[in-house]
Amino acid sequence: MASTHLSFSSLQLQIPSHERSSVSSQPFHRTKLSVIRPIRASVSEKSSTEVETVEVQTPPKLPIRKIPGKYGLPFIGPLSDRLDYFYNQGRDEFFRSRIQKYRSTVYRANMPPGPFIADNPNVVVLLDGKSFPILFDVSKVEKKDLFTGTFMPSTELTGGYRVLSYLDPSEPSHARLKRLLFYLVSYRRDHVMPEFHNSYTELFESLESELAKKGKADFVQANDQAAFNFLGRALYGTNPPDTKLGRDGPKIVGKWVLFQLGPLLKLGLPQFIEEAMLHSFRLPPFFIKRDYQRLYEFFYESSTKVLDEGEKLGISRDEACHNLLFATCFNSFGGMKILFPNMIKWIGRCGVKFHTKLAEEIRSVVKSNGGKVTMMGMEQMPLMKSVVYECLRIEPPVSLQYGRAKTDLMVESHDAVFEVKQGEMLFGYQPFATKDPKIFDRPEDFVPDRFVSSEGEKLLKHVLWSNGPETETPTVGNKQCAGKDFVVLVARLLVVELFLRYDSFDIVAGVSPLGASVTVTSLKRATFG
């Protein structure tokens, strides 16, 4: 449950014009990291007094450079950048073309939505793996009301509260609400693995049934229902279809998110309609109020124990419930909605030979653990773990990050140092940071065993999907996702459950406003192990 940042803010908020990444199952290649070797002085065998001297070379200082780029005239500049971002260039080319123009991965630009929704769309863009992590340093940047960037959706969409994702760690409510989410995951931890198995067994059965009837099956729609059911069962002990909510949960969440993130979405409608309806004016919260109330009632009735804990922490039951709803629906469900189809897409493209290798590892470990899927057992599956990390690296579910400079800052890229003034907005596009060619070898390729070796494990500090490095841990004092370990766990469970049941599978993948569209065209049931 990505309580702070695995979310619909991470949605593929603009349909990419094309995909440049490719899949590779070649052995892991050493990356282009610089290694600083220890300097040793050794005593000569010929003399007890002569000592070998080594000249210590300090790395050259990076040049200080003025941040390139301009914001343009008020209204005209932001509007021009918005049209380039959504239509004239597309998101990736919008960033890439400016890197080439300015010969810098740090520059100035305007981020959507701009007029008439965001008062100030001016940002300093960070597009490499060295500058990007400053966005995680809450001693240097403020995160207040920046979850969706240069604008904030109406609090009418969250019960009148600024929920956890919009709070800076310096605000007293931040620690209380994050502790509540830590409690939720801890309190229900024993239910996660069995309920995941139950919910995704239902998903696989539905895919098989649809394949038998139609010759193909929509993974995304089936995953939406399975993910929502799983979260209700695992975290709240309630099966959504058995309540008044029925099977409407995923559909309601989708509409609710549209009202929050409409200004950042490209739905594929005619440009003049999207510009008028989504990018220039906010959708009125009133139109989603009744549906949101249905979600609220479901969570209020299902979370008595957690709401009790909230009161002990000094959080009213109403505020706690709205935060649980947001964390579960926006963060966790939103994350699974985006991450899981992307994983199926990338793994599906790897082909039968790799599928067999992955299935052999998973089934061998499960067999040696008495036929059970366990946490300890999954730690003994290096290839499976690497695949999950590579999915999070190449297409991170959190794409956009923001932070406002608390003081005057010096921001380093690989090539230069840039001065940022207090109050300026910093923005990072994560897929460029996690595909930085100066950090990762073959960064645009999907290399499933990239993180298997000891050298590969060192690269995990550059996997940044959780609003922090994979090697760090969420705390009440940072903005790293409270459910970071939960997300990694369920992603691993998806791969394990998939290859315990099937030898291989085939898919057809495309793009959609919210991540990948994935159609399953064949499922080959397990024949060995």
Side-chain angles (χ1 to χ4, degrees), residues 230-244:
F230 158 69
L231 291 167
R233 296 165 179 174
L235 299 180
Y236 301 98
T238 303
N239 185 33
D242 294 339
T243 70
K244 291 181 290 185

Side-chain angles (χ1 to χ4, degrees), residues 259-405:
F259 275 71
Q260 296 178 72
L261 296 184
L264 302 179
L265 295 174
K266 186 173 186 292
L267 302 181
L269 300 172
Q271 179 178 331
F272 73 93
I273 294 178
E274 287 193 335
E275 281 296 289
M277 292 183 58
L278 294 179
H279 303 154
S280 299
F281 304 99
R282 300 171 187 257
L283 296 173
F286 171 80
F287 291 112
I288 195 68
K289 186 175 182 179
R290 182 175 297 179
D291 281 334
Y292 181 79
Q293 184 63 27
R294 290 183 64 193
L295 286 176
Y296 177 87
E297 290 172 359
F298 168 79
F299 283 96
Y300 196 90
E301 293 169 2
S302 304
S303 55
T304 300
K305 178 71 174 178
V306 187
L307 297 180
D308 290 343
E309 181 67 20
E311 287 190 317
K312 294 177 184 177
L313 293 170
I315 309 166
S316 73
R317 299 181 80 84
D318 186 54
E319 182 177 9
C321 187
H322 285 292
N323 273 273
L324 293 175
L325 188 161
F326 192 93
T328 306
C329 295
F330 197 111
N331 300 131
S332 302
F333 172 76
M336 294 174 72
K337 178 179 177 64
I338 300 303
L339 176 61
F340 281 15
N342 286 342
M343 290 178 64
I344 295 298
K345 174 185 70 176
W346 289 111
I347 297 171
R349 289 173 174 175
C350 288
V352 174
K353 186 176 180 180
F354 174 74
H355 292 173
T356 301
K357 186 176 181 181
L358 190 55
E360 287 173 345
E361 176 188 81
I362 291 169
R363 294 173 196 177
S364 173
V365 171
V366 171
K367 184 176 181 179
S368 68
N369 283 273
K372 296 181 180 180
V373 178
T374 64
M375 296 278 287
M376 184 179 297
M378 287 192 290
E379 289 298 326
Q380 300 165 7
M381 303 175 186
L383 183 58
M384 180 277 293
K385 293 194 297 181
S386 177
V387 166
V388 170
Y389 289 136
E390 181 69 343
C391 288
L392 290 165
R393 178 200 73 85
I394 198 167
E395 200 164 9
V398 179
S399 296
L400 316 177
Q401 289 283 358
Y402 290 85
R404 190 177 302 281

Side-chain angles (χ1 to χ4, degrees), residues 132-139 141 143 401 430 461 463-469 472 478-480:
F132 189 92
I134 198 171
L135 292 163
F136 308 145
D137 189 344
V138 294
S139 70
V141 299
K143 293 285 192 173
Q401 289 283 358
Q430 188 166 163
K461 65 182 179 181
V463 177
L464 311 171
W465 68 271
S466 63
N467 201 17
E472 295 187 6
N478 64 25
K479 287 299 288 183
Q480 191 165 24

Side-chain angles (χ1 to χ4, degrees), residues 20-35:
R20 299 178 65 250
S21 300
S22 60
V23 179
S24 171
S25 58
Q26 298 297 320
F28 176 79
H29 283 58
R30 188 177 298 275
T31 59
K32 300 177 184 178
L33 287 174
S34 299
V35 179

Side-chain angles (χ1 to χ4, degrees), residues 200 203 219-228 333 336-337 340-341:
Y200 277 78
L203 175 142
F219 177 83
V220 174
Q221 185 175 356
N223 178 66
D224 284 356
Q225 192 65 59
F228 194 84
F333 172 76
M336 294 174 72
K337 178 179 177 64
F340 281 15

